[in-house]
Amino acid sequence: MTPFFLQRGKFCCLSFPHIIMFMLLILFSWLLACNSDESSTGVANTPDTTSQFSANDFQVATDCQSCHPVHYQEWSGSMHAYAAKDPVMAALNLKGQLAYVNSLDQDCVGCHTPIGSRAGETPWGEFNYDSLSAVAKEGIGCDLCHSISSVSAIQNSSILLSPGDVKYGSMKDFMSNDFHKSEYHPLYENSAYCGSCHDIVTRTDLALETTFSEWQAGGLSQTGKTCQQCHMPTYTGPAALGGPDRTVHSHAFIGVDVALIDHPQQAEQAVLVAELLRSALTVTLNTPSSVIAGDSATVTVDMLNDKTGHDVPSGATFLRQMWIHITVHDGTGNLIYESGQLDVNNDLMNENSSFPERDNDLYLVQSKLYRADGIQTLLTWEAHSMITNGIKAGETKRATYKFAVPTGTLGPLTVDAVLSYRMFPPHVIRDLALDSLLPIPVFEMANKTQTITIQ
């Protein structure tokens, strides 16, 4: 048999002579690593060699709660705490593994429960959240994050873990305590720390999620503003009970996703997500001052990404949807034009709608995945290419709408444009037989209104 050596995200086949050469290279690389230092950011120059651990090597988050109750409360409602119990992840994980038997082994769970994956708790097959140890159920928990000693690659959870008595962080003036030692680590102030999980490359070498790469290519990376500064905003308070007031970071890790099943602080998280989305772009609705009845009118919506350090949307852009719902009403309230409306299943009226009517003017920001044969797919394990249309940092995109103004129309016309966002299209959730999660929350990112007089 041809032996297989597993590297995160890839399989490679080696003949026996190559195995000997491979082992010698590993030994040589290890000797070099023993005599070389990592960069000041803690980003290693060698590929990730995932270590195996036991769940007992890590502390559960409730052990941290007694000294850090505020940070624990913030984290417990976060998407990091939700990662392992996310039903959409579990369903997609199973669908992919059934499509490719004994493959795609840790592709989802390697990021959603790194401790469970590395402790051998997530074998190939149906993901069973209930069978996980307590610390693996936490998804991205306290001791996982504060045990990261370096990053070996900016993708696919390529983190190197050093669990034990020392907990790493960004503070330089820790107070001593009897529970654990604390150590400043420059990696915790560096965006590479976040990028190690928030860039994803598939087994077909497709850059599937590129949030870190987008930030690196955008303007904010040049200013020195990091992921942590936006997604872990600071406030004044004690880092631990009995400690002095200082500048500390929120551990709510606000992004653009919300829990779809029971999860702590869902209402509070939804408010924070809505605030973040409303501050993502500058949106302008441009209309003519007047139009002649019996003629046509053209209106535009400009979306400027002047507030976000990466593309909008970012992350799983092949699932996320951002679109414009625009309506035009005459002076009596009659609707004379609309685009961006939802069908009765709450799907947008494009090719994924179950109904024949199509919205030919729909402005939708959502990436498209394609198989090697050029056929579009929503299944990441089939994808070989992706077309994205997100709004890059510093970029303006324009949506243009042209509509007829019937003869005899009474004015003024009222034009309403709403920029909306949701994390999943409903048709995907139905395809996964997760109808109980519907409806998917829709967030309003901007709402603009203009009037046009009728001549």
Side-chain angles (χ1 to χ4, degrees):
M1 291 179 62
T2 303
F4 285 83
F5 288 83
L6 176 62
Q7 180 186 16
R8 182 170 300 280
K10 297 182 180 179
F11 284 104
C12 54
C13 301
L14 301 175
S15 63
F16 185 77
H18 287 123
I19 294 173
I20 301 301
M21 181 65 71
F22 178 72
M23 298 305 294
L24 289 172
L25 285 171
I26 290 177
L27 177 61
F28 181 67
S29 299
W30 178 80
L31 291 172
L32 284 177
C34 290
N35 292 283
S36 63
D37 293 327
E38 293 176 358
S39 68
S40 61
T41 64
V43 180
N45 294 319
T46 54
D48 180 24
T49 51
T50 302
S51 301
Q52 296 296 314
F53 298 98
S54 164
N56 294 328
D57 293 329
F58 299 88
Q59 298 288 330
V60 294
T62 49
D63 289 346
C64 310
Q65 181 184 12
S66 58
C67 291
H68 306 280
V70 176
H71 285 164
Y72 173 85
Q73 182 183 26
E74 293 166 345
W75 165 83
S76 66
S78 73
M79 290 299 96
H80 281 182
Y82 180 74
K85 67 179 185 180
D86 177 3
V88 179
M89 179 277 294
L92 286 169
N93 180 74
L94 177 61
K95 190 177 183 73
Q97 291 194 8
L98 291 178
Y100 295 89
V101 176
N102 290 324
S103 185
L104 305 180
D105 191 12
Q106 303 297 309
D107 287 20
C108 296
V109 294
C111 285
H112 281 257
T113 174
I115 291 176
S117 176
R118 295 170 189 229
E121 297 183 31
T122 56
W124 185 90
E126 184 172 3
F127 177 71
N128 186 351
Y129 174 80
D130 293 332
S131 71
L132 297 179
S133 62
V135 72
K137 286 180 178 178
E138 293 174 355
I140 318 299
C142 307
D143 207 17
L144 170 76
C145 287
H146 289 280
S147 295
I148 297 174
S149 54
S150 73
V151 168
S152 61
I154 313 298
Q155 62 187 49
N156 297 11
S157 189
S158 296
I159 52 177
L160 300 180
L161 298 173
S162 301
D165 188 42
V166 176
K167 309 304 174 190
Y168 303 107
S170 60
M171 287 185 180
K172 297 181 180 179
D173 55 345
F174 289 104
M175 295 186 66
S176 61
N177 63 82
D178 296 331
F179 191 77
H180 62 78
K181 297 176 182 177
S182 303
E183 186 176 309
Y184 166 74
H185 199 313
L187 176 63
Y188 286 67
E189 298 178 308
N190 193 287
S191 290
Y193 178 84
C194 306
S196 60
C197 285
H198 289 279
D199 267 22
I200 296 177
V201 178
T202 70
R203 293 170 183 247
T204 59
D205 288 324
L206 172 63
L208 187 68
E209 298 186 22
T210 57
T211 302
F212 175 84
S213 299
E214 294 159 10
W215 167 86
Q216 195 171 42
L220 285 187
S221 66
Q222 306 305 314
T223 69
K225 191 161 188 177
T226 64
C227 306
Q228 293 91 325
Q229 287 174 287
C230 286
H231 295 280
M232 298 183 69
T234 59
Y235 59 91
T236 300
L241 283 179
D245 281 351
R246 59 173 80 212
T247 299
V248 294
H249 291 268
S250 168
H251 284 59
F253 304 105
I254 294 303
V256 294
D257 293 326
V258 293
L260 299 178
I261 58 175
D262 186 48
H263 191 60
Q265 304 170 55
Q266 283 180 281
E268 294 87 345
Q269 284 279 321
V271 169
L272 293 172
V273 169
E275 291 175 353
L276 183 70
L277 285 166
R278 283 195 296 267
S279 66
L281 301 170
T282 295
V283 178
T284 306
L285 172 61
N286 309 295
T287 63
S289 59
S290 63
V291 64
I292 300 172
D295 205 344
S296 62
T298 299
V299 302
T300 61
V301 180
D302 290 339
M303 294 153 286
L304 168 62
N305 184 357
D306 58 344
K307 301 175 182 178
T308 304
H310 49 70
D311 292 10
V312 177
S314 188
T317 57
F318 48 93
L319 292 172
R320 294 173 175 169
Q321 293 184 317
M322 183 176 76
W323 75 98
I324 297 172
H325 181 205
I326 187 166
T327 59
V328 181
H329 292 85
D330 66 17
T332 64
N334 292 320
L335 180 69
I336 66 170
Y337 178 78
E338 184 175 24
S339 175
Q341 67 271 34
L342 303 176
D343 67 21
V344 295
N345 288 331
N346 285 326
D347 285 311
L348 291 164
M349 298 172 64
N350 58 8
E351 68 275 10
N352 294 309
S353 173
S354 300
F355 300 91
E357 185 180 355
R358 292 292 176 258
D359 181 357
N360 295 322
D361 293 340
L362 174 65
Y363 185 89
L364 170 65
V365 180
Q366 182 180 10
S367 298
K368 293 184 178 182
L369 299 174
Y370 293 90
R371 303 184 328 201
D373 59 6
I375 302 298
Q376 188 176 344
T377 180
L378 279 170
L379 306 179
T380 59
W381 51 88
E382 293 183 344
H384 283 249
S385 63
M386 180 169 67
I387 295 177
T388 63
N389 62 342
I391 306 174
K392 300 182 182 301
E395 181 182 28
T396 298
K397 287 202 171 179
R398 169 171 286 187
T400 301
Y401 303 91
K402 186 175 182 179
F403 56 91
V405 180
T407 301
T409 298
L410 297 177
L413 302 180
T414 301
V415 183
D416 293 294
V418 178
L419 182 65
S420 297
Y421 164 85
R422 64 185 172 194
M423 54 197 285
F424 297 116
H427 70 88
V428 169
I429 302 303
R430 292 195 302 273
D431 288 346
L432 294 172
L434 296 174
D435 299 56
S436 62
L437 303 182
L438 298 172
I440 302 300
V442 174
F443 290 91
E444 184 179 283
M445 298 178 65
N447 189 333
K448 303 294 179 180
T449 300
Q450 296 281 5
T451 58
I452 305 172
T453 61
I454 300 290
Q455 295 183 18

